[in-house]
Amino acid sequence: LRPALADPSVQQASRALMGTRLDMTAQAGRGIEVSSAMNAAFAQMQRLSDMLSRYRIGNPVHALHLCAGLQPVPVAPEMAAVLKMAIRRSQQSKGAFDITVGAFTGWNFGQGKNTIPPATEIAQELPLVDYRQLVLTVRDEKNATAYLRRRGMRIDLGGIAKLPILQAGMDVLKAHGIRNAMLNAGG
């Protein structure tokens, strides 16, 4: 048997995305330019990652944080879908899963830089963590708003956005005619 990666129709690429390594393997069919399909998939996943990241200034998540307790902000359909999924998971878990943990700002689990804030800081931020204070209003498939009811509330979509982002990448590959592909993010 010949290993799959030895086949010239199979291509592989890796990029840093969503704070982890993303590996993409795709097999081209007849007349399909696999590298352009892979580049388009990476571009779509990067766009969504940028949109849904709590670390990007000027994106919809940042706007939601700035307007917390003040007014709703418009959100793209992709973000509305992720927020809807997050609210559903929060309800199912009775709050064990909660994207409003973004209010906990003193935590850091970077390379060699683990920081846990003091109990007093956690106690101050805890009232800002409550998924029920996130209001998502979807008027139709293209018009939605999100609103955090309390000033200082923040969301962190890191625990739920990866799957929809990866699915969007697979959808792009399929739209380019790729039938066999694998995405691996984070191991």
mmCIF file of all heavy atoms in Angstrom, residues 127-160:
data_model
loop_
_atom_site.group_PDB
_atom_site.id
_atom_site.type_symbol
_atom_site.label_atom_id
_atom_site.label_comp_id
_atom_site.label_asym_id
_atom_site.label_seq_id
_atom_site.Cartn_x
_atom_site.Cartn_y
_atom_site.Cartn_z
ATOM 1 N N PRO A 127 -20.216 38.941 39.139
ATOM 2 C CA PRO A 127 -21.566 39.396 38.774
ATOM 3 C C PRO A 127 -21.729 39.714 37.273
ATOM 4 O O PRO A 127 -22.848 39.828 36.782
ATOM 5 C CB PRO A 127 -21.764 40.659 39.613
ATOM 6 C CG PRO A 127 -20.820 40.522 40.747
ATOM 7 C CD PRO A 127 -19.639 39.774 40.197
ATOM 8 N N LEU A 128 -20.611 39.842 36.559
ATOM 9 C CA LEU A 128 -20.666 40.131 35.127
ATOM 10 C C LEU A 128 -20.722 38.858 34.282
ATOM 11 O O LEU A 128 -20.747 38.929 33.053
ATOM 12 C CB LEU A 128 -19.456 40.977 34.713
ATOM 13 C CG LEU A 128 -19.345 42.339 35.402
ATOM 14 C CD1 LEU A 128 -18.028 43.010 35.041
ATOM 15 C CD2 LEU A 128 -20.534 43.213 35.050
ATOM 16 N N VAL A 129 -20.712 37.704 34.911
ATOM 17 C CA VAL A 129 -20.749 36.421 34.209
ATOM 18 C C VAL A 129 -22.145 35.825 34.371
ATOM 19 O O VAL A 129 -22.513 35.370 35.452
ATOM 20 C CB VAL A 129 -19.673 35.452 34.744
ATOM 21 C CG1 VAL A 129 -19.755 34.113 34.016
ATOM 22 C CG2 VAL A 129 -18.289 36.066 34.598
ATOM 23 N N ASP A 130 -22.921 35.891 33.287
ATOM 24 C CA ASP A 130 -24.278 35.333 33.303
ATOM 25 C C ASP A 130 -24.802 35.335 31.865
ATOM 26 O O ASP A 130 -25.200 36.371 31.345
ATOM 27 C CB ASP A 130 -25.200 36.156 34.198
ATOM 28 C CG ASP A 130 -26.604 35.560 34.297
ATOM 29 O OD1 ASP A 130 -26.911 34.563 33.599
ATOM 30 O OD2 ASP A 130 -27.404 36.112 35.078
ATOM 31 N N TYR A 131 -24.787 34.188 31.239
ATOM 32 C CA TYR A 131 -25.208 34.076 29.846
ATOM 33 C C TYR A 131 -26.625 34.598 29.620
ATOM 34 O O TYR A 131 -26.981 35.008 28.512
ATOM 35 C CB TYR A 131 -25.105 32.620 29.352
ATOM 36 C CG TYR A 131 -26.157 31.708 29.919
ATOM 37 C CD1 TYR A 131 -27.352 31.495 29.242
ATOM 38 C CD2 TYR A 131 -25.975 31.067 31.139
ATOM 39 C CE1 TYR A 131 -28.334 30.669 29.766
ATOM 40 C CE2 TYR A 131 -26.944 30.240 31.663
ATOM 41 C CZ TYR A 131 -28.121 30.043 30.976
ATOM 42 O OH TYR A 131 -29.092 29.230 31.497
ATOM 43 N N ARG A 132 -27.453 34.611 30.664
ATOM 44 C CA ARG A 132 -28.830 35.093 30.516
ATOM 45 C C ARG A 132 -28.894 36.602 30.298
ATOM 46 O O ARG A 132 -29.943 37.137 29.933
ATOM 47 C CB ARG A 132 -29.651 34.687 31.739
ATOM 48 C CG ARG A 132 -29.826 33.158 31.835
ATOM 49 C CD ARG A 132 -30.337 32.764 33.167
ATOM 50 N NE ARG A 132 -29.304 33.110 34.156
ATOM 51 C CZ ARG A 132 -29.180 32.552 35.339
ATOM 52 N NH1 ARG A 132 -30.019 31.621 35.719
ATOM 53 N NH2 ARG A 132 -28.231 32.915 36.172
ATOM 54 N N GLN A 133 -27.765 37.287 30.486
ATOM 55 C CA GLN A 133 -27.700 38.730 30.279
ATOM 56 C C GLN A 133 -27.240 39.077 28.855
ATOM 57 O O GLN A 133 -27.050 40.240 28.528
ATOM 58 C CB GLN A 133 -26.764 39.381 31.303
ATOM 59 C CG GLN A 133 -27.191 39.145 32.737
ATOM 60 C CD GLN A 133 -28.598 39.642 33.019
ATOM 61 O OE1 GLN A 133 -28.944 40.767 32.689
ATOM 62 N NE2 GLN A 133 -29.423 38.789 33.612
ATOM 63 N N LEU A 134 -27.065 38.069 28.036
ATOM 64 C CA LEU A 134 -26.766 38.264 26.612
ATOM 65 C C LEU A 134 -28.073 38.148 25.843
ATOM 66 O O LEU A 134 -28.742 37.122 25.912
ATOM 67 C CB LEU A 134 -25.773 37.208 26.120
ATOM 68 C CG LEU A 134 -25.562 37.112 24.605
ATOM 69 C CD1 LEU A 134 -24.980 38.397 24.033
ATOM 70 C CD2 LEU A 134 -24.656 35.930 24.281
ATOM 71 N N VAL A 135 -28.420 39.208 25.136
ATOM 72 C CA VAL A 135 -29.671 39.221 24.377
ATOM 73 C C VAL A 135 -29.325 39.179 22.893
ATOM 74 O O VAL A 135 -28.641 40.067 22.380
ATOM 75 C CB VAL A 135 -30.496 40.498 24.683
ATOM 76 C CG1 VAL A 135 -31.772 40.522 23.858
ATOM 77 C CG2 VAL A 135 -30.787 40.590 26.167
ATOM 78 N N LEU A 136 -29.800 38.149 22.234
ATOM 79 C CA LEU A 136 -29.613 38.010 20.788
ATOM 80 C C LEU A 136 -30.973 38.186 20.126
ATOM 81 O O LEU A 136 -31.917 37.469 20.450
ATOM 82 C CB LEU A 136 -29.034 36.631 20.450
ATOM 83 C CG LEU A 136 -28.852 36.322 18.972
ATOM 84 C CD1 LEU A 136 -27.816 37.251 18.328
ATOM 85 C CD2 LEU A 136 -28.444 34.866 18.791
ATOM 86 N N THR A 137 -31.047 39.138 19.215
ATOM 87 C CA THR A 137 -32.286 39.387 18.486
ATOM 88 C C THR A 137 -32.025 39.131 17.015
ATOM 89 O O THR A 137 -31.210 39.828 16.402
ATOM 90 C CB THR A 137 -32.775 40.847 18.691
ATOM 91 O OG1 THR A 137 -32.888 41.090 20.089
ATOM 92 C CG2 THR A 137 -34.110 41.075 18.019
ATOM 93 N N VAL A 138 -32.692 38.137 16.460
ATOM 94 C CA VAL A 138 -32.528 37.785 15.047
ATOM 95 C C VAL A 138 -33.828 38.132 14.335
ATOM 96 O O VAL A 138 -34.859 37.512 14.574
ATOM 97 C CB VAL A 138 -32.191 36.287 14.877
ATOM 98 C CG1 VAL A 138 -32.034 35.943 13.403
ATOM 99 C CG2 VAL A 138 -30.939 35.927 15.663
ATOM 100 N N ARG A 139 -33.760 39.149 13.469
ATOM 101 C CA ARG A 139 -34.955 39.560 12.724
ATOM 102 C C ARG A 139 -35.165 38.682 11.489
ATOM 103 O O ARG A 139 -36.275 38.321 11.166
ATOM 104 C CB ARG A 139 -34.844 41.034 12.324
ATOM 105 C CG ARG A 139 -35.023 41.967 13.517
ATOM 106 C CD ARG A 139 -35.029 43.421 13.113
ATOM 107 N NE ARG A 139 -33.717 44.038 13.084
ATOM 108 C CZ ARG A 139 -32.981 44.306 14.145
ATOM 109 N NH1 ARG A 139 -33.403 43.985 15.336
ATOM 110 N NH2 ARG A 139 -31.816 44.878 14.036
ATOM 111 N N ASP A 140 -34.096 38.379 10.812
ATOM 112 C CA ASP A 140 -34.121 37.454 9.674
ATOM 113 C C ASP A 140 -32.700 36.939 9.502
ATOM 114 O O ASP A 140 -31.828 37.258 10.302
ATOM 115 C CB ASP A 140 -34.666 38.139 8.396
ATOM 116 C CG ASP A 140 -33.900 39.382 7.992
ATOM 117 O OD1 ASP A 140 -32.648 39.330 7.937
ATOM 118 O OD2 ASP A 140 -34.540 40.416 7.724
ATOM 119 N N GLU A 141 -32.457 36.147 8.472
ATOM 120 C CA GLU A 141 -31.142 35.508 8.350
ATOM 121 C C GLU A 141 -29.990 36.481 8.125
ATOM 122 O O GLU A 141 -28.832 36.116 8.287
ATOM 123 C CB GLU A 141 -31.154 34.441 7.264
ATOM 124 C CG GLU A 141 -31.395 34.968 5.860
ATOM 125 C CD GLU A 141 -31.418 33.855 4.835
ATOM 126 O OE1 GLU A 141 -32.100 32.854 5.066
ATOM 127 O OE2 GLU A 141 -30.749 34.025 3.806
ATOM 128 N N LYS A 142 -30.271 37.739 7.784
ATOM 129 C CA LYS A 142 -29.194 38.707 7.544
ATOM 130 C C LYS A 142 -29.145 39.844 8.557
ATOM 131 O O LYS A 142 -28.209 40.632 8.547
ATOM 132 C CB LYS A 142 -29.313 39.294 6.140
ATOM 133 C CG LYS A 142 -29.046 38.279 5.057
ATOM 134 C CD LYS A 142 -28.950 38.926 3.707
ATOM 135 C CE LYS A 142 -28.634 37.853 2.682
ATOM 136 N NZ LYS A 142 -28.231 38.389 1.409
ATOM 137 N N ASN A 143 -30.146 39.957 9.420
ATOM 138 C CA ASN A 143 -30.215 41.067 10.367
ATOM 139 C C ASN A 143 -30.375 40.566 11.789
ATOM 140 O O ASN A 143 -31.414 40.004 12.148
ATOM 141 C CB ASN A 143 -31.388 41.995 10.019
ATOM 142 C CG ASN A 143 -31.183 42.677 8.685
ATOM 143 O OD1 ASN A 143 -30.229 43.425 8.508
ATOM 144 N ND2 ASN A 143 -32.062 42.399 7.742
ATOM 145 N N ALA A 144 -29.323 40.785 12.582
ATOM 146 C CA ALA A 144 -29.351 40.379 13.983
ATOM 147 C C ALA A 144 -28.575 41.394 14.810
ATOM 148 O O ALA A 144 -27.693 42.091 14.301
ATOM 149 C CB ALA A 144 -28.741 38.988 14.146
ATOM 150 N N THR A 145 -28.928 41.473 16.083
ATOM 151 C CA THR A 145 -28.187 42.304 17.029
ATOM 152 C C THR A 145 -27.897 41.486 18.277
ATOM 153 O O THR A 145 -28.597 40.519 18.580
ATOM 154 C CB THR A 145 -28.967 43.576 17.439
ATOM 155 O OG1 THR A 145 -30.189 43.193 18.075
ATOM 156 C CG2 THR A 145 -29.243 44.473 16.248
ATOM 157 N N ALA A 146 -26.863 41.904 18.975
ATOM 158 C CA ALA A 146 -26.515 41.292 20.255
ATOM 159 C C ALA A 146 -26.335 42.406 21.272
ATOM 160 O O ALA A 146 -25.921 43.519 20.931
ATOM 161 C CB ALA A 146 -25.238 40.475 20.130
ATOM 162 N N TYR A 147 -26.664 42.096 22.504
ATOM 163 C CA TYR A 147 -26.601 43.097 23.565
ATOM 164 C C TYR A 147 -26.228 42.429 24.881
ATOM 165 O O TYR A 147 -26.822 41.417 25.254
ATOM 166 C CB TYR A 147 -27.976 43.779 23.689
ATOM 167 C CG TYR A 147 -28.097 44.785 24.800
ATOM 168 C CD1 TYR A 147 -27.298 45.921 24.840
ATOM 169 C CD2 TYR A 147 -29.031 44.597 25.808
ATOM 170 C CE1 TYR A 147 -27.434 46.849 25.857
ATOM 171 C CE2 TYR A 147 -29.176 45.531 26.839
ATOM 172 C CZ TYR A 147 -28.365 46.653 26.855
ATOM 173 O OH TYR A 147 -28.496 47.569 27.862
ATOM 174 N N LEU A 148 -25.233 42.984 25.549
ATOM 175 C CA LEU A 148 -24.871 42.560 26.891
ATOM 176 C C LEU A 148 -25.502 43.569 27.847
ATOM 177 O O LEU A 148 -25.243 44.770 27.753
ATOM 178 C CB LEU A 148 -23.342 42.540 27.054
ATOM 179 C CG LEU A 148 -22.623 41.471 26.238
ATOM 180 C CD1 LEU A 148 -21.126 41.739 26.196
ATOM 181 C CD2 LEU A 148 -22.910 40.089 26.789
ATOM 182 N N ARG A 149 -26.342 43.112 28.746
ATOM 183 C CA ARG A 149 -27.165 44.008 29.573
ATOM 184 C C ARG A 149 -26.393 44.816 30.609
ATOM 185 O O ARG A 149 -26.874 45.853 31.042
ATOM 186 C CB ARG A 149 -28.244 43.206 30.289
ATOM 187 C CG ARG A 149 -29.317 42.719 29.363
ATOM 188 C CD ARG A 149 -30.417 42.040 30.162
ATOM 189 N NE ARG A 149 -31.508 41.685 29.274
ATOM 190 C CZ ARG A 149 -32.220 40.586 29.389
ATOM 191 N NH1 ARG A 149 -31.977 39.738 30.372
ATOM 192 N NH2 ARG A 149 -33.185 40.330 28.543
ATOM 193 N N ARG A 150 -25.236 44.349 31.020
ATOM 194 C CA ARG A 150 -24.503 45.050 32.080
ATOM 195 C C ARG A 150 -23.198 45.629 31.553
ATOM 196 O O ARG A 150 -22.461 44.969 30.832
ATOM 197 C CB ARG A 150 -24.186 44.091 33.226
ATOM 198 C CG ARG A 150 -25.397 43.627 33.962
ATOM 199 C CD ARG A 150 -24.977 42.917 35.230
ATOM 200 N NE ARG A 150 -26.080 42.079 35.668
ATOM 201 C CZ ARG A 150 -25.942 40.841 36.101
ATOM 202 N NH1 ARG A 150 -24.760 40.296 36.176
ATOM 203 N NH2 ARG A 150 -26.998 40.158 36.478
ATOM 204 N N ARG A 151 -22.925 46.846 31.957
ATOM 205 C CA ARG A 151 -21.671 47.498 31.618
ATOM 206 C C ARG A 151 -20.521 46.669 32.182
ATOM 207 O O ARG A 151 -20.582 46.217 33.329
ATOM 208 C CB ARG A 151 -21.679 48.912 32.232
ATOM 209 C CG ARG A 151 -20.641 49.802 31.661
ATOM 210 C CD ARG A 151 -21.183 50.486 30.397
ATOM 211 N NE ARG A 151 -20.111 51.237 29.780
ATOM 212 C CZ ARG A 151 -19.610 50.945 28.594
ATOM 213 N NH1 ARG A 151 -20.116 49.976 27.867
ATOM 214 N NH2 ARG A 151 -18.622 51.635 28.107
ATOM 215 N N GLY A 152 -19.486 46.446 31.395
ATOM 216 C CA GLY A 152 -18.331 45.662 31.824
ATOM 217 C C GLY A 152 -18.403 44.194 31.441
ATOM 218 O O GLY A 152 -17.409 43.475 31.577
ATOM 219 N N MET A 153 -19.550 43.741 30.934
ATOM 220 C CA MET A 153 -19.656 42.346 30.497
ATOM 221 C C MET A 153 -18.816 42.144 29.235
ATOM 222 O O MET A 153 -18.649 43.064 28.437
ATOM 223 C CB MET A 153 -21.109 41.954 30.210
ATOM 224 C CG MET A 153 -21.962 41.813 31.453
ATOM 225 S SD MET A 153 -23.613 41.157 31.075
ATOM 226 C CE MET A 153 -23.225 39.402 30.938
ATOM 227 N N ARG A 154 -18.312 40.937 29.078
ATOM 228 C CA ARG A 154 -17.513 40.580 27.900
ATOM 229 C C ARG A 154 -17.784 39.116 27.556
ATOM 230 O O ARG A 154 -18.091 38.321 28.441
ATOM 231 C CB ARG A 154 -16.019 40.749 28.178
ATOM 232 C CG ARG A 154 -15.603 42.169 28.480
ATOM 233 C CD ARG A 154 -14.105 42.235 28.697
ATOM 234 N NE ARG A 154 -13.669 43.565 28.998
ATOM 235 C CZ ARG A 154 -13.503 44.528 28.112
ATOM 236 N NH1 ARG A 154 -13.735 44.316 26.850
ATOM 237 N NH2 ARG A 154 -13.085 45.719 28.481
ATOM 238 N N ILE A 155 -17.623 38.803 26.283
ATOM 239 C CA ILE A 155 -17.773 37.408 25.871
ATOM 240 C C ILE A 155 -16.429 36.850 25.419
ATOM 241 O O ILE A 155 -15.525 37.595 25.041
ATOM 242 C CB ILE A 155 -18.826 37.222 24.746
ATOM 243 C CG1 ILE A 155 -18.430 37.965 23.467
ATOM 244 C CG2 ILE A 155 -20.202 37.638 25.240
ATOM 245 C CD1 ILE A 155 -19.293 37.640 22.276
ATOM 246 N N ASP A 156 -16.324 35.546 25.467
ATOM 247 C CA ASP A 156 -15.166 34.820 24.964
ATOM 248 C C ASP A 156 -15.712 33.611 24.207
ATOM 249 O O ASP A 156 -16.257 32.690 24.810
ATOM 250 C CB ASP A 156 -14.272 34.373 26.122
ATOM 251 C CG ASP A 156 -13.019 33.652 25.655
ATOM 252 O OD1 ASP A 156 -12.956 33.215 24.490
ATOM 253 O OD2 ASP A 156 -12.093 33.509 26.479
ATOM 254 N N LEU A 157 -15.589 33.632 22.889
ATOM 255 C CA LEU A 157 -16.141 32.565 22.045
ATOM 256 C C LEU A 157 -15.144 31.434 21.793
ATOM 257 O O LEU A 157 -15.429 30.523 21.018
ATOM 258 C CB LEU A 157 -16.617 33.159 20.714
ATOM 259 C CG LEU A 157 -17.732 34.200 20.843
ATOM 260 C CD1 LEU A 157 -17.994 34.874 19.506
ATOM 261 C CD2 LEU A 157 -18.986 33.571 21.388
ATOM 262 N N GLY A 158 -13.994 31.488 22.459
ATOM 263 C CA GLY A 158 -12.953 30.487 22.243
ATOM 264 C C GLY A 158 -13.402 29.057 22.509
ATOM 265 O O GLY A 158 -12.879 28.127 21.917
ATOM 266 N N GLY A 159 -14.380 28.872 23.363
ATOM 267 C CA GLY A 159 -14.835 27.524 23.692
ATOM 268 C C GLY A 159 -15.871 26.966 22.743
ATOM 269 O O GLY A 159 -16.266 25.810 22.874
ATOM 270 N N ILE A 160 -16.301 27.766 21.748
ATOM 271 C CA ILE A 160 -17.373 27.288 20.869
ATOM 272 C C ILE A 160 -17.174 27.649 19.404
ATOM 273 O O ILE A 160 -17.750 27.009 18.530
ATOM 274 C CB ILE A 160 -18.747 27.791 21.369
ATOM 275 C CG1 ILE A 160 -19.864 26.923 20.796
ATOM 276 C CG2 ILE A 160 -18.930 29.279 21.116
ATOM 277 C CD1 ILE A 160 -21.173 27.020 21.541
#
